[in-house]
Amino acid sequence: MKVEQKGHTTTIRNTQSNTAEFYQKLYHEYNSYKSQNLIIDLSFDKSITMADIKLFLEMAKMHKKEKKSLVLVVNDIDFNDAPTKLTVVPTLLEAHDIIELDEIERDLGF
């Protein structure tokens, strides 16, 4: 797991191949990240499944209650199959863009 903080956003990269183990580790350390917008980079795992992605539903719900954004970066999936409660994008640039838009919406009171 590699953590990089930039401004109000923390990017956490899965450097292991097992997304379920990565999720468990991240879940146990969640309190140290809950005050930041999170980008979870899962692009390292080439065998990721939709079940792996759905593991992050509970964390996304908790993060939304904190009024922060959580964005997953995943390659090689059908984005139409992703749950609507999760924000899943193919690149880090798009993840940063989504967080900026979410910040603007929160500042405007939406």
Side-chain angles (χ1 to χ4, degrees), residues 17-92:
S17 60
N18 188 328
T19 300
E21 288 177 17
F22 170 74
Y23 173 78
Q24 289 300 322
K25 185 174 182 180
L26 183 61
Y27 187 80
H28 289 300
E29 297 177 12
Y30 176 73
N31 284 335
S32 57
Y33 302 117
K34 70 180 182 180
S35 64
Q36 291 281 312
N37 293 307
L38 288 179
I39 297 173
I40 310 295
D41 186 355
L42 303 172
S43 58
F44 180 81
D45 188 353
K46 302 300 181 199
S47 62
I48 195 163
T49 65
M50 196 54 65
D52 293 330
I53 292 169
K54 289 179 180 179
L55 290 172
F56 292 89
L57 278 167
E58 183 181 343
M59 189 179 291
K61 185 178 175 183
M62 291 187 306
H63 219 61
K64 189 170 185 167
K65 285 182 183 177
E66 296 290 330
K67 298 195 185 309
K68 295 294 177 183
S69 301
L70 185 141
V71 181
L72 301 176
V73 178
V74 182
N75 296 334
D76 301 327
I77 65 156
D78 185 356
F79 292 95
N80 294 323
D81 291 341
T84 56
K85 297 198 185 268
L86 283 177
T87 305
V88 184
V89 296
T91 67
L92 284 171

